[in-house]
Amino acid sequence: MRYRASIGVDPLGTSDGRLSDECTVKVDCQAMAARPPVYINVTLADAHHGVAQWLDLGLPVVSSMEQLQASRVTTYDGDLRYRETNSHPISAASLPQDIARFWLQDCLELHDPTPHQPLSTLPKRVLDVSSMAEPFLLETNGMRGHYAAMSYCWGQVPVVRTKISTLEAHKIVVPFSDLPKTLQDGIWWTRKLGLKYLWIDALCIIQDSEEDLEMELPCMADIYSRSTITLAATMAKDVRVGCSSRSNKLSLVPCNPAAGVIIQPDYSRHRWIHQKGALELRAWTFQEVQLSHRVLRCGGEELVWLCRHCKRREGDPLAEATHQWADTGTYFGTRALDDERRLKDIGLTLNMWYQLVSQFTTRHISFTTDRLPAFSGMASHFGSVLRQLLAQKYSEGPQTLLESPLKYLAGLWRYDLIRGLCWRTLYPGRRVPFRAPSWSWAALEAEVNYNDLVAQREDVLVDVLETSIRIDGKNPYGKTSGGRLTLFGAVTSVPSYLYNDDTESGPWEWKYPLLTWDCEQHPPLGCVCLRVLPRFNILLAPSEQPHQVGPYGRYCRVGFLIAPTEYEDQNQTKLRILDQLDWQYQAITII
């Protein structure tokens, strides 16, 4: 009821009796979980007359509480092999760590498709937390084992980090008392789940070593995808907040419910419990949660479990909510990569890539140069998936497949380059110091969108003559220092009346989403339009770097134009305007 009130919905359905935090709710509850629906005597202190009057009516609301079946509880024997002990029910009243341990065991036993494969190779360094004494940094040297990984927000506060000067000291001890609350809680959760090792980026990567960063960042996909579980500090905006359980447990005991008010304590909570917290606003954490097979979201109102098979919540810990998705999106806590069927088809895999790019560009990042590195783990993962799919398509082994189709071009794939160029900004973006060529979505700080039209198998109208990208460092999916594309296709000058079209009448009327400029500042006159797909056109402005002008001219991307469908333009006014433009075939270079 408090949740419904917090979003402006009257939980009691009365105009003169709203429930708020100023109302003291007293529940005479000998807690129960049984069928038929639970009856609870409810009284309100200091409430409006209308509320008390509503309670007197005894309006029927269907209860969602169900009988919780007794289930086994397990203990850790030191090697993540569980054995059964005394049987008693796991319920909403159980301790959070017991619920989380039950979920992990259940998933390892029932959902793991490869239970008999060797243990995963540990990351280069992990935090050994197996002893109740101080943790320490362990150089693994190829060891195998189970480990947890952390996904959290650093925030704008100092964080204890491993540096060149502290590496040797951290191998001896990382003082628990020196760690911020979120990292302390991460260690607590790891121990309660029966795991020995924990990977935390701030401690397991040498933060002031460019060489170590360049070696470890490309491994992010493996680190999170191979982790036994990822601990996601969902609501912590910085490392001081923590991710311990915030739930206030009530004991559940059998009772004989008396007649009274029937309440529904859930209000479809499984839908809104996955609402975004601070963690879901940060760019670096996007790939961490997406790539992990199992995620425990902790620190919010409830524990939430996500794995490739299902999602669960603390309030109803035995219920498994199945994932829901469509080719164009996912719903209510389902991650795109949970839809593993789409990773078996090249077209669906690429559609998923575009969906993930759109989601990633909504995330905030502290340092603009980190945009591509923060997505490099995802790119590495998709590179491996595409390599296997292309090998099957061309009936070649993965080791003999030519590299050119898999070439990564600052957020785009050479195999599907033309469709990859068809992004548009949802709102005018902001130019940043160079981090990607203008044809890449990574060139701007903007929310970009690959709408569902890009999923259609349309004929490509341009030829790719040349692609070039300069990598800044050793990470092939990370920072770039330059790049260019040379395409051959139909080009025309952009009519002058298009630039400032803000009228509500006239033959042009190119309104969003048909025409979008990449940035708020409209480009100078002299732009050209390059048609890449039957309805999709890229708007290009002459490059402001005269020393780079070549035989075909150099341009920068500045916008995107979508031709309307015949349904949208029944009089074909706009379509005729496009067809009547002076289209000329030529080669054009975009930087």
Side-chain angles (χ1 to χ4, degrees):
M1 287 189 290
R2 176 176 294 180
Y3 167 71
R4 288 175 65 91
S6 71
I7 61 173
V9 178
D10 185 354
L12 305 180
T14 60
S15 60
D16 58 347
R18 291 187 177 275
L19 184 67
S20 69
D21 284 346
E22 285 70 39
C23 295
T24 302
V25 182
K26 295 182 179 179
V27 181
D28 178 18
C29 177
Q30 293 178 321
M32 68 279 324
R35 292 188 178 122
V38 176
Y39 289 81
I40 302 176
N41 293 323
V42 180
T43 61
L44 297 180
D46 303 321
H48 298 291
H49 173 72
V51 176
Q53 186 178 28
W54 178 87
L55 291 172
D56 290 338
L57 293 176
L59 298 178
V61 183
V62 177
S63 171
S64 66
M65 299 185 70
E66 298 179 356
Q67 178 70 38
L68 299 178
Q69 300 295 333
S71 179
R72 65 185 181 278
V73 177
T74 57
T75 56
Y76 170 59
D77 69 3
D79 191 25
L80 203 69
R81 293 190 298 268
Y82 293 90
R83 61 178 182 270
E84 294 190 5
T85 60
N86 297 330
S87 177
H88 81 257
I90 293 292
S91 71
S94 299
L95 293 175
Q97 59 267 34
D98 291 340
I99 292 174
R101 190 164 53 244
F102 171 82
W103 286 340
L104 178 59
Q105 175 220 350
D106 208 42
C107 185
L108 289 172
E109 291 184 356
L110 302 179
H111 301 162
D112 191 348
T114 57
H116 303 298
Q117 283 196 355
L119 298 177
S120 299
T121 302
L122 294 174
K124 183 178 180 180
R125 302 180 193 91
V126 292
L127 209 60
D128 189 321
V129 301
S130 58
S131 170
M132 293 308 293
E134 300 282 25
F136 63 92
L137 197 61
L138 175 68
E139 296 271 4
T140 60
N141 297 317
M143 292 170 52
R144 293 179 178 271
H146 291 283
Y147 67 95
M150 278 210 74
S151 181
Y152 64 101
C153 294
W154 286 27
Q156 303 298 319
V157 296
V159 180
V160 176
R161 311 178 191 190
T162 294
K163 299 182 179 180
I164 297 174
S165 59
T166 60
L167 176 61
E168 295 304 319
H170 282 179
K171 290 181 181 180
I172 300 173
V173 64
V174 178
F176 187 83
S177 59
D178 290 350
L179 298 176
K181 185 68 165 60
T182 297
L183 304 192
Q184 289 181 349
D185 289 346
I187 293 174
W188 184 89
W189 279 111
T190 303
R191 289 170 172 167
K192 292 300 181 182
L193 291 171
L195 299 171
K196 293 178 61 176
Y197 305 117
L198 173 62
W199 189 88
I200 301 175
D201 56 358
L203 297 172
C204 298
I205 299 177
I206 305 174
Q207 295 297 316
D208 59 350
S209 169
E210 288 295 329
E211 180 181 0
D212 200 59
L213 286 166
E214 288 187 357
M215 291 179 61
E216 291 299 292
L217 288 181
C219 300
M220 298 290 274
D222 289 337
I223 289 172
Y224 283 96
S225 63
R226 293 176 181 175
S227 68
T228 305
I229 192 169
T230 292
L231 306 172
T234 307
M235 304 304 293
K237 64 180 181 180
D238 61 51
V239 291
R240 299 171 301 183
V241 177
C243 57
S244 57
S245 176
R246 297 169 55 190
S247 55
N248 182 17
K249 295 289 185 178
L250 296 176
S251 299
L252 295 182
V253 295
C255 76
N256 296 316
V261 178
I262 306 175
I263 65 170
Q264 181 180 356
D266 191 51
Y267 289 113
S268 299
R269 187 176 179 86
H270 68 283
R271 294 174 177 261
W272 63 263
I273 196 62
H274 297 283
Q275 62 184 312
K276 292 182 178 180
L279 190 75
E280 281 78 24
L281 302 177
R282 181 173 175 251
W284 276 103
T285 62
F286 180 78
Q287 62 181 6
E288 298 169 1
V289 173
Q290 286 283 344
L291 292 169
S292 300
H293 286 276
R294 305 174 191 89
V295 177
L296 182 68
R297 290 175 46 139
C298 41
E301 290 192 26
E302 293 187 35
L303 289 182
V304 174
W305 171 271
L306 297 173
C307 69
R308 298 295 184 217
H309 179 79
C310 68
K311 48 194 175 183
R312 288 170 155 176
R313 65 180 187 85
E314 186 179 356
D316 194 3
L318 293 181
E320 291 187 354
T322 57
H323 292 302
Q324 294 175 286
W325 47 63
D327 288 343
T328 56
T330 56
Y331 305 92
F332 304 129
T334 296
R335 301 165 296 172
L337 290 175
D338 292 332
D339 188 2
E340 294 180 322
R341 64 184 175 86
R342 295 169 66 188
L343 296 176
K344 299 178 181 179
D345 176 86
I346 294 179
L348 293 177
T349 297
L350 289 167
N351 290 347
M352 183 189 293
W353 171 262
Y354 299 132
Q355 174 190 339
L356 289 167
V357 167
S358 298
Q359 294 174 3
F360 174 70
T361 58
T362 66
R363 302 292 190 98
H364 303 307
I365 199 157
S366 300
F367 302 99
T368 58
T369 55
D370 285 349
R371 179 62 68 177
L372 282 172
F375 205 57
S376 61
M378 189 69 72
S380 174
H381 176 77
F382 269 80
S384 299
V385 173
L386 290 172
R387 183 175 183 81
Q388 294 294 329
L389 292 174
L390 288 172
Q392 296 172 14
K393 179 177 180 180
Y394 296 114
S395 300
E396 298 178 359
Q399 302 303 319
T400 60
L401 183 66
L402 294 176
E403 290 292 334
S404 56
L406 296 171
K407 189 175 183 181
Y408 185 68
L409 301 167
L412 283 65
W413 297 100
R414 174 62 182 86
Y415 177 79
D416 200 41
L417 178 60
I418 303 307
R419 289 205 304 158
L421 293 170
C422 296
W423 53 269
R424 58 188 175 92
T425 57
L426 292 177
Y427 309 98
R430 174 173 59 89
R431 294 284 179 191
V432 295
F434 183 90
R435 66 185 185 195
S438 67
W439 36 264
S440 168
W441 51 264
L444 302 173
E445 273 301 306
E447 294 184 27
V448 306
N449 176 256
Y450 284 95
N451 59 36
D452 54 356
L453 296 176
V454 89
Q456 299 177 5
R457 309 304 269 175
E458 300 188 74
D459 295 329
V460 172
L461 300 181
V462 294
D463 294 323
V464 180
L465 303 182
E466 179 189 15
T467 66
S468 174
I469 195 75
R470 290 198 305 272
I471 304 299
D472 185 8
K474 298 179 181 179
N475 184 358
Y477 305 106
K479 297 179 181 179
T480 66
S481 58
R484 68 177 183 271
L485 298 177
T486 301
L487 306 175
F488 182 83
V491 181
T492 187
S493 297
V494 173
S496 58
Y497 47 84
L498 175 61
Y499 291 92
N500 295 304
D501 177 47
D502 56 359
T503 63
E504 295 297 333
S505 60
W508 200 258
E509 294 182 11
W510 295 104
K511 300 297 182 185
Y512 177 88
L514 298 181
L515 169 66
T516 55
W517 296 108
D518 292 343
C519 295
E520 291 183 354
Q521 300 81 9
H522 284 195
L525 297 177
C527 291
V528 298
C529 180
L530 172 65
R531 180 168 289 179
V532 293
L533 291 172
R535 295 184 53 226
F536 295 163
N537 307 266
I538 299 175
L539 302 179
L540 305 168
S543 170
E544 297 178 357
Q545 305 176 35
H547 64 282
Q548 291 191 352
V549 175
Y552 305 123
R554 304 266 177 128
Y555 292 83
C556 294
R557 174 183 155 139
V558 291
F560 194 66
L561 177 64
I562 303 177
T565 63
E566 293 184 0
Y567 175 79
E568 295 168 333
D569 186 23
Q570 296 184 7
N571 295 326
Q572 297 193 346
T573 304
K574 301 180 181 67
L575 292 172
R576 281 198 301 269
I577 291 176
L578 284 177
D579 292 339
Q580 292 170 2
L581 296 177
D582 184 20
W583 296 93
Q584 299 289 330
Y585 283 87
Q586 68 178 69
I588 193 165
T589 297
I590 313 171
I591 59 174

PDB file of all heavy atoms in Angstrom, residues 75-83 194-196:
ATOM      1  N   THR A  75      24.170 -26.708   3.917  1.00  0.00           N
ATOM      2  CA  THR A  75      25.317 -26.028   4.505  1.00  0.00           C
ATOM      3  C   THR A  75      26.525 -26.243   3.619  1.00  0.00           C
ATOM      4  O   THR A  75      26.582 -27.184   2.821  1.00  0.00           O
ATOM      5  CB  THR A  75      25.625 -26.567   5.911  1.00  0.00           C
ATOM      6  OG1 THR A  75      25.821 -27.980   5.832  1.00  0.00           O
ATOM      7  CG2 THR A  75      24.482 -26.268   6.862  1.00  0.00           C
ATOM      8  N   TYR A  76      27.491 -25.388   3.785  1.00  0.00           N
ATOM      9  CA  TYR A  76      28.693 -25.413   2.961  1.00  0.00           C
ATOM     10  C   TYR A  76      29.745 -26.294   3.613  1.00  0.00           C
ATOM     11  O   TYR A  76      30.011 -26.187   4.802  1.00  0.00           O
ATOM     12  CB  TYR A  76      29.210 -23.969   2.829  1.00  0.00           C
ATOM     13  CG  TYR A  76      30.560 -23.847   2.199  1.00  0.00           C
ATOM     14  CD1 TYR A  76      30.782 -24.333   0.926  1.00  0.00           C
ATOM     15  CD2 TYR A  76      31.606 -23.218   2.881  1.00  0.00           C
ATOM     16  CE1 TYR A  76      32.018 -24.190   0.337  1.00  0.00           C
ATOM     17  CE2 TYR A  76      32.832 -23.074   2.302  1.00  0.00           C
ATOM     18  CZ  TYR A  76      33.050 -23.574   1.025  1.00  0.00           C
ATOM     19  OH  TYR A  76      34.275 -23.431   0.447  1.00  0.00           O
ATOM     20  N   ASP A  77      30.352 -27.180   2.805  1.00  0.00           N
ATOM     21  CA  ASP A  77      31.351 -28.058   3.393  1.00  0.00           C
ATOM     22  C   ASP A  77      32.765 -27.685   2.967  1.00  0.00           C
ATOM     23  O   ASP A  77      33.687 -28.476   3.108  1.00  0.00           O
ATOM     24  CB  ASP A  77      31.060 -29.515   3.036  1.00  0.00           C
ATOM     25  CG  ASP A  77      31.274 -29.810   1.550  1.00  0.00           C
ATOM     26  OD1 ASP A  77      31.704 -28.906   0.801  1.00  0.00           O
ATOM     27  OD2 ASP A  77      31.015 -30.951   1.138  1.00  0.00           O
ATOM     28  N   GLY A  78      32.937 -26.493   2.403  1.00  0.00           N
ATOM     29  CA  GLY A  78      34.268 -26.006   2.089  1.00  0.00           C
ATOM     30  C   GLY A  78      34.645 -26.097   0.633  1.00  0.00           C
ATOM     31  O   GLY A  78      35.671 -25.596   0.221  1.00  0.00           O
ATOM     32  N   ASP A  79      33.818 -26.723  -0.221  1.00  0.00           N
ATOM     33  CA  ASP A  79      34.192 -26.877  -1.616  1.00  0.00           C
ATOM     34  C   ASP A  79      32.997 -26.615  -2.523  1.00  0.00           C
ATOM     35  O   ASP A  79      32.944 -27.112  -3.638  1.00  0.00           O
ATOM     36  CB  ASP A  79      34.733 -28.291  -1.854  1.00  0.00           C
ATOM     37  CG  ASP A  79      35.383 -28.427  -3.221  1.00  0.00           C
ATOM     38  OD1 ASP A  79      35.829 -27.399  -3.768  1.00  0.00           O
ATOM     39  OD2 ASP A  79      35.414 -29.550  -3.740  1.00  0.00           O
ATOM     40  N   LEU A  80      32.047 -25.842  -2.044  1.00  0.00           N
ATOM     41  CA  LEU A  80      30.800 -25.533  -2.740  1.00  0.00           C
ATOM     42  C   LEU A  80      30.045 -26.807  -3.107  1.00  0.00           C
ATOM     43  O   LEU A  80      29.301 -26.850  -4.055  1.00  0.00           O
ATOM     44  CB  LEU A  80      31.053 -24.688  -3.997  1.00  0.00           C
ATOM     45  CG  LEU A  80      29.829 -23.878  -4.445  1.00  0.00           C
ATOM     46  CD1 LEU A  80      29.543 -22.786  -3.456  1.00  0.00           C
ATOM     47  CD2 LEU A  80      29.995 -23.306  -5.828  1.00  0.00           C
ATOM     48  N   ARG A  81      30.290 -27.881  -2.398  1.00  0.00           N
ATOM     49  CA  ARG A  81      29.452 -29.078  -2.514  1.00  0.00           C
ATOM     50  C   ARG A  81      28.521 -29.057  -1.305  1.00  0.00           C
ATOM     51  O   ARG A  81      28.967 -28.986  -0.154  1.00  0.00           O
ATOM     52  CB  ARG A  81      30.304 -30.350  -2.513  1.00  0.00           C
ATOM     53  CG  ARG A  81      31.188 -30.497  -3.726  1.00  0.00           C
ATOM     54  CD  ARG A  81      31.821 -31.901  -3.753  1.00  0.00           C
ATOM     55  NE  ARG A  81      32.675 -32.121  -2.594  1.00  0.00           N
ATOM     56  CZ  ARG A  81      33.976 -31.861  -2.578  1.00  0.00           C
ATOM     57  NH1 ARG A  81      34.544 -31.359  -3.653  1.00  0.00           N
ATOM     58  NH2 ARG A  81      34.689 -32.093  -1.497  1.00  0.00           N
ATOM     59  N   TYR A  82      27.258 -29.118  -1.567  1.00  0.00           N
ATOM     60  CA  TYR A  82      26.283 -28.965  -0.496  1.00  0.00           C
ATOM     61  C   TYR A  82      25.752 -30.316  -0.040  1.00  0.00           C
ATOM     62  O   TYR A  82      25.658 -31.258  -0.821  1.00  0.00           O
ATOM     63  CB  TYR A  82      25.122 -28.087  -0.974  1.00  0.00           C
ATOM     64  CG  TYR A  82      25.497 -26.667  -1.227  1.00  0.00           C
ATOM     65  CD1 TYR A  82      25.931 -26.265  -2.484  1.00  0.00           C
ATOM     66  CD2 TYR A  82      25.442 -25.716  -0.224  1.00  0.00           C
ATOM     67  CE1 TYR A  82      26.287 -24.944  -2.721  1.00  0.00           C
ATOM     68  CE2 TYR A  82      25.793 -24.401  -0.460  1.00  0.00           C
ATOM     69  CZ  TYR A  82      26.206 -24.030  -1.701  1.00  0.00           C
ATOM     70  OH  TYR A  82      26.557 -22.736  -1.940  1.00  0.00           O
ATOM     71  N   ARG A  83      25.419 -30.399   1.201  1.00  0.00           N
ATOM     72  CA  ARG A  83      24.790 -31.603   1.723  1.00  0.00           C
ATOM     73  C   ARG A  83      23.505 -31.215   2.465  1.00  0.00           C
ATOM     74  O   ARG A  83      23.414 -30.117   3.023  1.00  0.00           O
ATOM     75  CB  ARG A  83      25.744 -32.337   2.671  1.00  0.00           C
ATOM     76  CG  ARG A  83      26.166 -31.534   3.888  1.00  0.00           C
ATOM     77  CD  ARG A  83      27.068 -32.369   4.799  1.00  0.00           C
ATOM     78  NE  ARG A  83      27.435 -31.623   5.994  1.00  0.00           N
ATOM     79  CZ  ARG A  83      28.498 -30.857   6.083  1.00  0.00           C
ATOM     80  NH1 ARG A  83      29.291 -30.719   5.041  1.00  0.00           N
ATOM     81  NH2 ARG A  83      28.776 -30.209   7.206  1.00  0.00           N
ATOM     82  N   GLY A 194      29.107 -19.187   0.976  1.00  0.00           N
ATOM     83  CA  GLY A 194      30.006 -20.330   1.002  1.00  0.00           C
ATOM     84  C   GLY A 194      31.095 -20.293  -0.032  1.00  0.00           C
ATOM     85  O   GLY A 194      31.611 -21.333  -0.435  1.00  0.00           O
ATOM     86  N   LEU A 195      31.466 -19.104  -0.493  1.00  0.00           N
ATOM     87  CA  LEU A 195      32.506 -18.951  -1.509  1.00  0.00           C
ATOM     88  C   LEU A 195      33.797 -18.434  -0.872  1.00  0.00           C
ATOM     89  O   LEU A 195      33.763 -17.673   0.099  1.00  0.00           O
ATOM     90  CB  LEU A 195      32.042 -18.008  -2.610  1.00  0.00           C
ATOM     91  CG  LEU A 195      30.791 -18.450  -3.377  1.00  0.00           C
ATOM     92  CD1 LEU A 195      30.315 -17.326  -4.297  1.00  0.00           C
ATOM     93  CD2 LEU A 195      31.071 -19.698  -4.187  1.00  0.00           C
ATOM     94  N   LYS A 196      34.910 -18.817  -1.468  1.00  0.00           N
ATOM     95  CA  LYS A 196      36.211 -18.438  -0.918  1.00  0.00           C
ATOM     96  C   LYS A 196      36.759 -17.161  -1.539  1.00  0.00           C
ATOM     97  O   LYS A 196      37.527 -16.433  -0.913  1.00  0.00           O
ATOM     98  CB  LYS A 196      37.229 -19.560  -1.151  1.00  0.00           C
ATOM     99  CG  LYS A 196      36.968 -20.836  -0.380  1.00  0.00           C
ATOM    100  CD  LYS A 196      38.002 -21.903  -0.706  1.00  0.00           C
ATOM    101  CE  LYS A 196      39.413 -21.448  -0.323  1.00  0.00           C
ATOM    102  NZ  LYS A 196      40.399 -22.527  -0.562  1.00  0.00           N
TER     103      LYS A 196
END
